[in-house]
Amino acid sequence: MQAGQTLIDLLRHGEVAGGDLLRGSRTDQPLSDKGWEQLRETVDSGANWQRVVCSPLRRCREFAEETAERLNLPLQVEEGLRELDFGAWDGLPLEQLWAQHGDAANAFLEDPLSVMPPDAEPITEFQQRVLASWNALLTDHAGEHLLLVAHGVVNRLILSHVLAMPLSAMFRLEVAHACLSRVRVGTGNSRVVFHGNEF
């Protein structure tokens, strides 16, 4: 890593126990056995990280705790990295969501600035809290290499911010379970080094 640069590896949690649900900040379930396997496989060799940062939700935090302990690294739990609160849709089985709210769900994915689930966290407020945590990490840990374990929408938001994409287009980024992306931040510029690759 070049002097003056910060590397942050964004890792989405693996598969979660309990089936195919829309999981936001209200639905806090642990990883499935497959989810643990996906994540361990992705980070098996490590990457010279200096710190592990994570969302407080179990599907991120428990793996982050294991990884920090295994690699003897400090762990930082960031409340601002919680997943989006999907309101009335949070915790719904995906089959039920598409059957009952398919048109609205499609509209939300096309433009979350204009369409949100009932009682959901406004997307601009979500953006503000995630980017507040992101910017604090860049300030507090400048020059370090961090592993950040978070969620699909959180990681989409960060990647779209780095790429200067419109917020309305962030769902065009595919972020699968255990998807790994790397961001390099230097003086006055940020770059996505890779997206969806393994070490």
Side-chain angles (χ1 to χ4, degrees):
M1 186 167 64
Q2 297 177 17
Q5 294 190 333
T6 305
L7 288 180
I8 301 186
D9 292 342
L10 305 173
L11 178 66
R12 185 188 176 194
H13 62 77
E15 181 188 87
V16 182
D20 292 329
L21 311 180
L22 181 64
R23 291 181 179 84
S25 62
R26 301 184 188 192
T27 309
D28 193 9
Q29 295 170 307
L31 294 167
S32 66
D33 290 343
K34 180 180 178 181
W36 281 100
E37 182 181 340
Q38 290 170 326
L39 291 170
R40 287 171 178 151
E41 212 171 86
T42 300
V43 304
D44 180 52
S45 60
N48 299 315
W49 296 305
Q50 294 164 277
R51 177 180 304 272
V52 179
V53 181
C54 70
S55 158
L57 298 179
R58 292 181 65 186
R59 55 192 183 270
C60 298
R61 178 178 47 81
E62 291 176 346
F63 177 75
E65 289 170 344
E66 178 191 81
T67 302
E69 183 176 356
R70 177 173 63 87
L71 299 175
N72 194 28
L73 296 174
L75 175 67
Q76 183 170 331
V77 179
E78 280 287 326
E79 283 292 329
L81 297 178
R82 297 175 74 91
E83 182 60 295
L84 178 68
D85 180 348
F86 290 108
W89 295 356
D90 211 310
L92 284 182
L94 292 182
E95 186 175 346
Q96 180 183 345
L97 173 68
W98 290 110
Q100 296 180 355
H101 310 286
D103 289 345
N106 274 318
F108 165 64
L109 293 175
E110 284 299 314
D111 186 3
L113 280 169
S114 301
V115 180
M116 288 293 293
D119 301 319
E121 177 181 15
I123 200 72
T124 51
E125 292 181 15
F126 171 73
Q127 179 187 44
Q128 289 170 3
R129 72 166 166 87
V130 171
L131 292 184
S133 288
W134 174 254
N135 290 325
L137 288 173
L138 295 179
T139 299
D140 296 343
H141 304 295
E144 295 183 18
H145 188 178
L146 312 180
L147 174 65
L148 190 158
V149 186
H151 305 272
V153 187
V154 171
N155 290 1
R156 283 182 178 92
L157 187 282
I158 292 170
L159 289 167
S160 64
H161 170 71
V162 171
L163 293 168
M165 291 171 55
L167 183 60
S168 59
M170 71 174 175
F171 286 108
R172 297 179 188 176
L173 289 166
E174 186 168 321
V175 180
H177 285 137
C179 176
L180 185 71
S181 308
R182 176 169 293 171
V183 173
R184 178 191 295 120
V185 180
T187 305
N189 66 82
S190 301
R191 299 282 186 272
V192 174
V193 180
F194 62 71
H195 172 63
N197 291 38
E198 297 181 354
F199 295 117

